[in-house]
Amino acid sequence: MASTETGTVEDAHDDRPRDGNTAAGKGGDGRHDLAGLEAGLDALDAVQSHRTPVREVLVKKVLPPLTAVALVLVVWQGLVWAKVADDTKLPPPSSVWSGLKELWLQGTLLDIVWTSVSRGMLGFLLALAIGTPLGLVVARVKFIRAAIGPILSGLQSLPSVAWVPPAVIWLGLNNSMMYAVILLGAVPSIANGLVSGVDQIPPLYLRAGRTLGATGLRGTWHVVMPAALPGYLAGLKQGWAFSWRSLMAAEIIASSPDLGLGLGQLLENGRNNSDMPGVFLAIFLILIVGIAIDLLIFSPLERHVLRSRGLLVKG
């Protein structure tokens, strides 16, 4: 009887499980909770991207610039009707449109645009091939950075038109002169953009890459360049802007029949002939090409980079 009572008392005070079912249940619940937590974190990290409907694209991306253009045309026509300036100084939009239509009917419009675009794109690709390794070397080698870094910053702030006279003297009136001016204007921007991107890489990424064996060229390709991509892309956009501006300055100042008729020469011909509709037409074509290159090339690249890093959810 005593033993029974003792066993009963011990059983009453013994909170340990009689078998492994309870422990297993608790362990199962813990694993289930951990799996649910991991799934929740994965859901937070996942980028909920989807294709934007065509109507939304038209409303949000096409309609605003078209509205702005229409507003500019209305204001422009209103100034013409108000006679704020003589027609020789402020031509109506219809005169510019007539000039555009005349170039199209003559079959020279696309040739003029392509002459400048092909020069600008080729010059930009050459600047890309030179500016990228230069930016990597400046960013990674302290001595070279101390020696060349301030020079690159100074060259970036130097107006591109300043390079046209020495380039003409060195190379003459030819395409080589055009490309030299583009390189001198675009390379510093591309290199500085890459340097800025490398400076923003968290040191943990570099240490992790070295730990995994990504050193030298392998580390540059697999760690440094992907991590520095946002700053590098910003440098590329600025480099294209400098390429296009440098080319226009070169075509305006160093115009020659041997160079062919580009947009810069078209603008200079309008000035020489006191043809304001031609001047306005050349300005609008230069602006349209610059905007088109940004919208067709650099904006999609930028959206892709942002979307891949989870920084762009929609569109």
Side-chain angles (χ1 to χ4, degrees):
M1 184 71 177
S3 60
T4 305
E5 292 177 355
T6 303
T8 305
V9 172
E10 288 178 353
D11 292 343
H13 291 282
D14 190 0
D15 294 330
R16 291 175 296 177
R18 295 291 182 179
D19 50 33
N21 294 335
T22 305
K26 291 183 178 179
D29 292 341
R31 288 192 296 270
H32 179 73
D33 293 341
L34 181 59
L37 177 60
E38 292 177 349
L41 292 176
D42 292 340
L44 288 175
D45 291 337
V47 179
Q48 302 296 329
S49 60
H50 63 278
R51 184 176 296 276
T52 305
V54 176
R55 181 177 179 182
E56 184 177 349
V57 173
L58 293 176
V59 172
K60 292 185 176 181
K61 296 184 178 181
V62 178
L63 185 59
L66 291 180
T67 303
V69 171
L71 181 61
V72 170
L73 293 176
V74 169
V75 173
W76 182 2
Q77 186 63 52
L79 293 175
V80 172
W81 284 337
K83 301 293 184 181
V84 296
D86 188 75
D87 289 346
T88 57
K89 297 181 180 179
L90 183 64
S94 58
S95 298
V96 180
W97 175 255
S98 297
L100 177 65
K101 187 164 62 173
E102 182 179 355
L103 289 178
W104 175 262
L105 294 176
Q106 291 175 355
T108 57
L109 178 62
L110 296 181
D111 292 336
I112 294 172
V113 173
W114 175 245
T115 297
S116 295
V117 171
S118 60
R119 283 175 182 162
M121 293 301 297
L122 180 57
F124 174 74
L125 292 176
L126 293 174
L128 179 64
I130 297 174
T132 300
L134 178 61
L136 285 173
V137 171
V138 171
R140 304 294 288 171
V141 182
K142 293 183 178 180
F143 175 76
I144 296 180
R145 181 167 188 164
I148 301 180
I151 298 177
L152 286 176
S153 298
L155 290 175
Q156 187 175 358
S157 62
L158 183 67
S160 304
V161 68
W163 291 113
V164 178
V168 172
I169 295 175
W170 294 335
L171 302 173
L173 290 174
N174 50 43
N175 284 323
S176 299
M177 178 273 300
M178 299 282 185
Y179 296 134
V181 174
I182 293 174
L183 290 177
L184 291 169
V187 167
S189 297
I190 296 174
N192 282 331
L194 184 53
V195 170
S196 177
V198 173
D199 288 344
Q200 297 174 16
I201 299 176
L204 180 61
Y205 290 4
L206 302 178
R207 291 198 298 267
R210 288 193 295 268
T211 301
L212 296 174
T215 58
L217 293 178
R218 182 179 297 177
T220 300
W221 179 256
H222 292 287
V223 179
V224 175
M225 288 301 295
L229 192 56
Y232 181 47
L233 184 57
L236 292 183
K237 292 180 66 174
Q238 192 173 29
W240 162 252
F242 273 85
S243 297
W244 191 239
R245 289 163 55 184
S246 302
L247 175 62
M248 291 302 102
E251 288 185 351
I252 290 172
I253 296 178
S255 58
S256 171
D258 297 334
L259 293 173
L261 183 60
L263 293 175
Q265 289 96 334
L266 182 66
L267 178 60
E268 181 64 11
N269 290 343
R271 185 193 68 84
N272 291 332
N273 298 326
S274 298
D275 179 16
M276 281 304 296
V279 170
F280 273 89
L281 175 59
I283 291 174
F284 288 141
L285 290 176
I286 293 171
L287 181 62
I288 290 172
V289 170
I291 294 174
I293 295 296
D294 181 75
L295 292 178
L296 296 176
I297 298 178
F298 293 107
S299 291
L301 283 176
E302 187 175 19
R303 288 196 301 271
H304 174 72
V305 171
L306 293 176
R307 188 179 295 112
S308 65
R309 293 168 185 259
L311 301 176
L312 187 64
V313 177
K314 294 183 179 181

